Amino acid sequence: MIAESPALARRPSTLLAGLIPVLALVLLWLSTSPASADFRLCNNTSSRVGIALGYKDAEGWTTEGWWNISSRTCETLLRGTLVARFYYIYAIDYDRGGEWSGQAFMCSRDKEFTIRGTEDCLARGYDRTGYFEVDTGEQRAWTVQLTDANEQPAQQRVPGLPGPVGPGGGVPGLPNAAPGGTPPGSPGLPPAQPGSKP
C-alpha cells in the first residue's frame, strides 16, 4: 500500500483556497460593470439639475421625476434595453435658474412623482409641462448630455431651451435634433389633447 504524502493531501484545499479570492474578484467585477443598455443623462453643467422623464411602455405613457444630478456627473434614469424610440426630458437648473424644455406636453409636479397618462394634467391636479424629445433611433442604450449655454460653440438660440443650438444644428442635450424643438404631431409625441392650450 502506498501512503499519501501530507503535501499531496493539502494541494486540493490549497488550490481551492487560492481560487476563492479570484472568484470573489470576478463576481465583484461582474456586479459593478456597467449594464449593456441603459438610458442615461449626463449633467455637463456647472449647476445641480433636476430631471423629469417621460416615456411610453407596454402600459402607456408615464412621466417620472425627480432625479437630482450634481454638476459634472451622470445618472442612469432607466436600466436595461430601451423599449421605445422616443423619450422626453424636462430639466431645471437649481443653482442659476432656467430650464431645458420643449413642445411635448406631459404631466409633472413639484414633488417626486410617477404619473400614468399625459391627458388632463391640470384637471388631475398636476402641472402641464413641456418636455423635449429625445430620438434614440431605436438604439439599445442612449445618453443625453446637458450642457451650459457658454459651452456651446454655435450662437443660434432655440426658443424654450437655454443656450444656443449645438454643433451641426442640434439642440443642447439632443444629438442631431432639429432646431426649434419638436413640432406637434411628430412621431413619438404623445397625442395632442383637444382643447388644451400649450
Side-chain angles (χ1 to χ4, degrees):
M1 175 175 227
I2 301 175
E4 270 188 43
S5 75
L8 287 176
R10 280 185 264 147
R11 277 193 188 160
S13 62
T14 304
L15 182 61
L16 183 60
L19 284 177
I20 289 175
V22 172
L23 291 172
L25 284 174
V26 168
L27 289 174
L28 179 65
W29 177 78
L30 288 173
S31 68
T32 60
S33 64
S36 61
D38 292 326
F39 187 86
R40 296 173 41 91
L41 186 133
C42 291
N43 174 13
N44 295 323
T45 73
S46 57
S47 298
R48 296 169 304 127
V49 297
I51 305 296
L53 174 67
Y55 58 91
K56 187 174 185 179
D57 60 16
E59 297 176 32
W61 288 101
T62 299
T63 53
E64 294 185 55
W66 292 94
W67 285 268
N68 298 310
I69 304 178
S70 299
S71 173
R72 313 271 184 236
T73 61
C74 297
E75 181 79 28
T76 299
L77 305 183
L78 296 173
R79 296 200 181 279
T81 302
L82 302 183
V83 297
R85 177 176 176 176
F86 297 97
Y87 293 84
Y88 298 85
I89 300 284
Y90 174 72
I92 298 173
D93 183 320
Y94 288 140
D95 296 331
R96 293 177 295 167
E99 63 186 11
W100 290 260
S101 62
Q103 300 298 314
F105 289 94
M106 299 181 176
C107 303
S108 70
R109 62 182 246 183
D110 290 340
K111 297 179 180 179
E112 184 176 325
F113 66 91
T114 298
I115 303 170
R116 285 290 190 189
T118 59
E119 68 287 334
D120 303 321
C121 296
L122 298 174
R124 296 191 295 152
Y126 302 120
D127 296 323
R128 186 172 180 262
T129 306
Y131 290 64
F132 68 83
E133 182 178 85
V134 177
D135 182 352
T136 67
E138 298 184 6
Q139 297 293 314
R140 293 175 30 137
W142 196 263
T143 298
V144 175
Q145 305 283 337
L146 286 184
T147 57
D148 282 322
N150 61 357
E151 293 176 357
Q152 296 293 326
Q155 296 305 310
Q156 182 182 1
R157 297 191 61 84
V158 175
L161 292 177
V165 174
V171 174
L174 294 173
N176 303 320
T182 305
S186 67
L189 195 62
Q193 303 301 316
S196 61
K197 295 181 182 178

